[in-house]
Amino acid sequence: MIDTRTVVLVEGTSDKSAVEALAARRGLDLEKEGVRVEAMGGATNIGAYVARFGPAGHGLRLAGLCDAGEEGDYRKALERAGLGSGLDRGGLEALGFYVCVADLEDELIRALGTDGVERIVEAECELGSFRTLQKQPTWRGRATHDQLRRFMGAGSGRKIRYSGLLAAALDPGRVPRPLELLLARLAS
């Protein structure tokens, strides 16, 4: 950690995979830039990670991504660490923390479109499995977007594998806002 200057706090390994894939695609060498992406094992761990890496710990520059449902946890942890008070979304962004509408997979599916995601699923030889999910009574008739989110979350390691693949497939002009802002911050 001697060469680390910035720690990017993300909820899980799938988020880490997406950030690293998109950074690599952009030619941003995170290690060279002194950036470490840290998967926290869930948003509720944000306080411990801010304490460890932030001003009261290693004193590193912090940044991160979170899901909309965990935004409050991030605000409280950053405020407890003395990084602001009464933080709103703009305050979080000023600190380098960006909020995904539902979650990062939702952002990536919207950016690629369901047809684009299905092509990736097909290339991974899992289109048959996805079609099986679509036929299940619980998922039949639901939006393809929602079915794809469920598919990504089901199966061992699928979410981690697909988040990197989806991020790598993004058109440079269609990168979801939270990822775009995070990468811009890391490059500065």
Side-chain angles (χ1 to χ4, degrees), residues 33 49 51 57-58 81 93 102 137 144 160 163 165 171 178 187:
E33 296 294 327
Y49 280 83
H58 293 293
E93 289 184 356
T144 304
I160 296 165
S163 64
L165 292 170
D171 178 290

Side-chain angles (χ1 to χ4, degrees), residues 138-187:
T138 304
W139 293 99
R140 195 177 314 134
R142 303 223 8 218
T144 304
H145 178 99
D146 296 334
Q147 294 169 337
L148 284 164
R149 279 188 68 215
R150 173 64 183 132
F151 179 75
M152 304 269 163
S156 180
R158 189 179 280 155
K159 191 173 182 181
I160 296 165
R161 182 169 42 112
Y162 276 103
S163 64
L165 292 170
L166 298 180
L170 284 172
D171 178 290
R174 296 199 39 91
V175 174
R177 183 178 184 277
L179 274 171
E180 184 66 48
L181 292 172
L182 176 63
L183 290 171
R185 185 173 190 94
L186 298 178

Side-chain angles (χ1 to χ4, degrees), residues 15-32:
D15 302 316
K16 179 179 181 184
S17 177
V19 170
E20 290 174 343
L22 195 52
R25 181 157 180 217
R26 292 220 170 148
L28 180 60
D29 184 336
L30 296 176
E31 186 176 342
K32 182 179 171 189

Side-chain angles (χ1 to χ4, degrees), residues 2 6 9 35 38-39 70 94 97 112 115 118-119 124-125 129 131 138 141 146 149 152 165 168 171:
I2 293 170
T6 301
L9 302 174
V35 175
E38 187 74 29
E70 282 77 29
F97 288 84
L112 281 168
D115 290 342
E118 283 193 38
R119 282 191 293 277
E124 291 297 301
C125 300
S129 296
R131 297 291 183 237
T138 304
D146 296 334
R149 279 188 68 215
M152 304 269 163
L165 292 170
D171 178 290

